[in-house]
Amino acid sequence: MKTKSFKDRLQKLSLAELLDQVRSGSPWLEWLLKHHMEFVSQLVEETPENTLAEICKRTAAAAYAGERAIASKILREEKNNLALFVGLCDVGGVWHDAQVTAALTKFADAAVSSAVDFLLREEQAKGRLIPANADEPSQGCGYVVLAMGKMGSFELNYSSDIDLIILYDPDTAPLAEGVEASTFFVKLTRNLVSLLQDVTEDGYVFRTDLRLRPDPRATQVAIAIEAAAIYYEYQGQNWERAAMIKARPCAGDVVLGAEFLDRLTPYIWRKYLDYAAIADVQSMKRQIHAVKGHGEIAVRSHDLKLGRGGIREIEFFVQTQQLIAGGRNPKLRGRSTIAMLEGLAAEGWISAETAKDMTNDYWFLRMLEHRAQMIDDLQTHHVPKDDAKFESFARFSGFADGASLSVKLEQALRRVQHHYAALFEQASDLGSSEGSLVFTGADDDPATLETLARMGFTHGPEVAATIRAWHFGRYAAMRTARAREVLTEIMPKLLKSLSSNSNADQAFLAFDKFLKNLPAGIQLFSMIKANPRLVDLLALVMGTAPRLAEKLSYRPRILEAVVAPDFFGPLPDAQRIKSDLDLVLPDETPRDEAMDRLRVWAREMHFRFGLRLLSETMSADEAGQGFSAIAEAVIQKLLRVVELEIIAAHGQVKGGACLVLGLGKLGGGEMTAGSDLDIMLVYDHATDAEESDGEKPLSPLQYYTRITQRLVTGLTVLTSEGELYEVDMRLRPSGSKGPLAVSRAAFEAYQKTDAWTWERMALTRGRVVAGDKSFGQKIEIIISETLYQKRDPEEIRMDVSKMRNLMLHEHKNTSLWDLKLKPGGQVEIEFIAQYLQLVHAWKSPEILRQNTAQALVKLQENGILGKPVGRQILAALRLYQSATQLLRLCVDGPFDPGIAPARLNAALARVAGQPDMAATEAVLADHQSVVAGIFEDMIGRDGIHEGLASKEQ
């Protein structure tokens, strides 16, 4: 049959009928006919095989062109000859489909090889390349072009791009002295791409795509061969393994290319795949249409390549099974889709009927794809939607009318879809209810971008590119194959959860930052896979709390704290928190070890309470009590550890005892996630105790100062497990000028006679949080006696007013969201409560409560604070505390709603009981105005007291 000429091998059509059909169906081919009639008259009398050989021979001659412009012209003229020749062979039935795709690929090989040789000769003439064989510069040149995809498997379509990977070996390339390999081969590659794809008056040769190379956004267009090998061996993804099935050397140093592919055999053909790897292989295509009903088959405008039942499904049907089975069976390692369908059937992986159906439907779809591309020489895969164009397309494809094409095409698509669905019917769903989510390969999947848009991502291409970067292993968390495979499985759920934020893009960026800081990913991804609800909690953190997300990225193990079944159960009280710490950390633990373990435990507890706060399953008041109970348990434990350490080294002080007094938010049980610790260590001892009884005795002051120092160090020092708390001890008598540890006698004398008004205000929140219980009762009595003293109301009022004015003078530019210091803010509420306690406690001792809200309630119950005013102040305080708990958990530094996560703004609006941020700020401003007015009416603003500025506060 091969001896017959083109004209003699025409089927069903005469030459005239063929030319009429071509002219009516394809403006592109009509143009070529008009300008190449002499060529047509020659090819119809020649065998197609000889015509193809002559075209390739003339194409190869471009390698010897003296100028780049001449080489460019030869390549483009022969491409036009080929396009016309193959189009006529295809439409006229002179060749079957496999011959058509093979002919297109043979020409592509000739064109790329000729272009490479021309450029090598050009560099040889410049003296930059010194080949061993001057007549064959590509031999041993150290530069190889790998044909990928359809070019690699001899399955190019009519208007196909060509996918290439360019590699070079700097150690063997015969470059002249002083020529740097990377610069040389990158420039050579850019010239190659230009020679092939630049559009001139003669057209173009091939659109050239280099994005299948390792991590294309981070690598040059030509890659050192050793770097590429290391990438594939340690970071290569399963979709890249699938792509490398079809790889073959097509130009340049083909021996070097063959050696490279041999080296990658263990990477491409893994003998054993675990379930995660298999799921990742399956997900490469299944994610695109994992949702039933998405992308339903419709003949008009259907994507023959990517649509349901399309060419890509057949290719992935074959490649996924090759990846799973080819490691143990070399017979299944071929490049050809059709040959491997036959191989899978022969080896029992699929039925003969399935192989036959898939083969027939593959060539049918490829034929239609070619016809669609021939119309205007466009890289399209869509069936025309317009009625007239569809009818013309049907006739051009050999059908009597559009109806008959519709019937056959729908049958083929459904048949392919059926076989493909059956292949993975047992696999778990990796899809999103929104639609396609596929991030394999180097290109954006259009359907995926549509899905991301529907989910609420406004920057879909950036999201897709970032996810591909994750899979390229740019972050430490993604370096292992297992981590990437598990991430593939959880990706749809992850994106759906992130998109639940009002600003999906912002939540995604926060998660990307989280991943970037994550030292390893497999543990976290596996936890998410095993506990799907973690995704929602992670999305909540990423969309609301950048501060918490950053802390989480450095310590992902704290997520384990939230997988317990009782996580959302009743909140633990202070005793349960202390008992939990006792189980984790015995008192006898060495201090260095205890500091690390305390940090791990406290971080986990903070995270648990933070998530409860974010998920609105904990109130602000409960959060304050919880964070305070955590701090109290830590102080108690660390004080005991330090005491035992000091006793072991220095013995004990006769009659000695010590305690930690909590002040500020710790004393009031109102701590936030970002609060520091206001504490004071008070000690006592027998009157005749001069020094401790150990081998290295210390005086009582030295003894308890050392305990204080080690306690503060244990709370504040940065260890391998991070930081714990900042500590402020300036509320002790004499401030930073006095001793770190305060004796009972000094404490009592100072508080009863020498303390300033502001220090007695601070004492209203004083509470023993750790230490000797019997001694604690004595200190509590001293505190009560101090606060029960009758005072001059006007003197107290003046002191409070002046202290507040000093604060305002030092903090002039407070914003609306400075909830503490803003006029009418939380400080003024606390000052009102403390002022009233100092003035009235002598006659109403029950008003003494360390917690501000509780104190305000007692002040109302005792008729000291009017109920209407009290209700106003309490409403403002609850809003301030609720907002502050969220803000300290979620952000560092000042809060600006204009740049804050939208989900945080929404959460703040909810705690304010308002629909949006504008209404929230209006309510906040009203509260501040009311509180400021009450403060002024009750206490006034009488100017700065000079003495206050001189005493350290």
Side-chain angles (χ1 to χ4, degrees), residues 6 10 13-23 88 91-92:
F6 175 95
L10 281 173
L13 295 172
S14 67
L15 179 59
E17 290 171 332
L18 169 62
L19 298 179
D20 286 343
Q21 182 170 335
V22 164
R23 290 189 181 98
L88 293 175
V91 177

Side-chain angles (χ1 to χ4, degrees), residues 178-375:
V179 176
E180 202 277 320
S182 174
T183 303
F184 177 86
F185 287 118
V186 166
K187 183 178 180 181
L188 188 73
T189 302
R190 296 192 188 282
N191 288 335
L192 174 64
V193 172
S194 175
L195 190 53
L196 291 173
Q197 77 173 18
D198 285 356
V199 178
T200 72
E201 61 181 8
D202 300 304
Y204 68 100
V205 191
F206 286 103
R207 289 175 293 267
T208 305
D209 194 334
L210 304 179
R211 290 175 295 171
L212 287 181
R213 69 185 187 275
D215 201 354
R217 287 198 170 195
T219 56
Q220 290 282 10
V221 291
I223 301 174
I225 201 162
E226 183 63 20
I230 291 172
Y231 169 85
Y232 286 120
E233 289 167 7
Y234 293 99
Q235 293 177 244
Q237 302 169 57
N238 279 318
W239 73 263
E240 290 175 300
R241 293 176 57 227
M244 293 304 291
I245 289 175
K246 296 182 179 292
R248 65 178 176 83
C250 70
D253 192 342
V254 294
V255 174
L256 177 67
E259 292 173 351
F260 174 77
L261 293 178
D262 284 343
R263 178 176 175 179
L264 291 193
T265 296
Y267 156 71
I268 302 171
W269 306 110
R270 288 160 60 179
K271 288 188 177 181
Y272 304 102
L273 293 181
D274 59 24
Y275 289 112
I278 293 173
D280 185 60
V281 171
Q282 294 170 341
S283 76
M284 289 187 298
K285 179 62 169 68
R286 185 157 47 84
Q287 284 188 34
I288 298 179
H289 299 306
V291 185
K292 186 175 180 180
H294 175 72
E296 291 290 351
I297 290 173
V299 171
R300 303 292 184 90
S301 75
H302 194 79
D303 190 323
L304 297 165
K305 178 181 178 181
L306 297 178
R308 274 184 177 251
I311 297 165
R312 183 60 60 84
E313 284 195 353
I314 300 174
E315 293 171 338
F316 271 79
F317 178 92
V318 174
Q319 287 173 292
T320 50
Q321 292 179 94
Q322 282 185 274
L323 288 180
I324 293 170
R328 296 183 300 275
N329 188 344
K331 295 179 181 179
L332 298 177
R333 298 181 183 179
R335 299 185 181 98
S336 166
T337 301
I338 300 305
M340 287 300 96
L341 278 170
E342 295 170 356
L344 288 168
E347 296 300 312
W349 284 86
I350 61 175
S351 68
E353 179 185 5
T354 298
K356 181 181 178 181
D357 285 346
M358 289 289 219
T359 298
N360 292 336
D361 292 332
Y362 176 81
W363 287 126
F364 174 62
L365 294 173
R366 290 302 305 272
M367 181 274 291
L368 293 179
E369 179 186 51
H370 288 172
R371 295 300 187 279
Q373 293 175 353
M374 286 177 190
I375 294 173

Side-chain angles (χ1 to χ4, degrees), residues 640 642-658 681-707 741 743-744 772 775:
R640 185 57 184 157
V642 168
E643 282 185 306
L644 291 175
E645 184 180 54
I646 295 295
I647 289 170
H650 304 287
Q652 294 180 291
V653 174
K654 182 180 178 181
C658 71
L681 189 136
V682 185
Y683 68 92
D684 199 11
H685 57 83
T687 55
D688 59 347
E690 295 184 359
E691 59 183 20
S692 61
D693 59 11
E695 292 184 4
K696 299 178 181 180
L698 297 172
S699 71
L701 178 58
Q702 291 174 316
Y703 188 92
Y704 289 108
T705 297
R706 191 156 298 182
I707 287 179
S743 69
R744 180 190 63 80
D772 187 279
F775 181 43

Side-chain angles (χ1 to χ4, degrees), residues 836-868:
L836 293 175
Q837 285 176 305
L838 290 180
V839 170
H840 299 282
W842 67 276
K843 62 180 178 181
S844 302
E846 61 271 20
I847 66 175
L848 290 177
R849 293 289 188 275
Q850 292 97 351
N851 180 275
T852 304
Q854 293 174 9
L856 289 170
V857 170
K858 289 298 180 182
L859 286 166
Q860 290 182 78
E861 291 177 353
N862 283 268
I864 297 170
L865 184 64
K867 290 188 176 181

Side-chain angles (χ1 to χ4, degrees), residues 12 25-26 79 95 195 197 308 355 387 427 635 846 939 949:
K12 299 181 181 179
S26 168
K79 172 61 186 295
W95 275 342
L195 190 53
Q197 77 173 18
R308 274 184 177 251
D387 288 345
I635 295 169
E846 61 271 20
I939 297 174

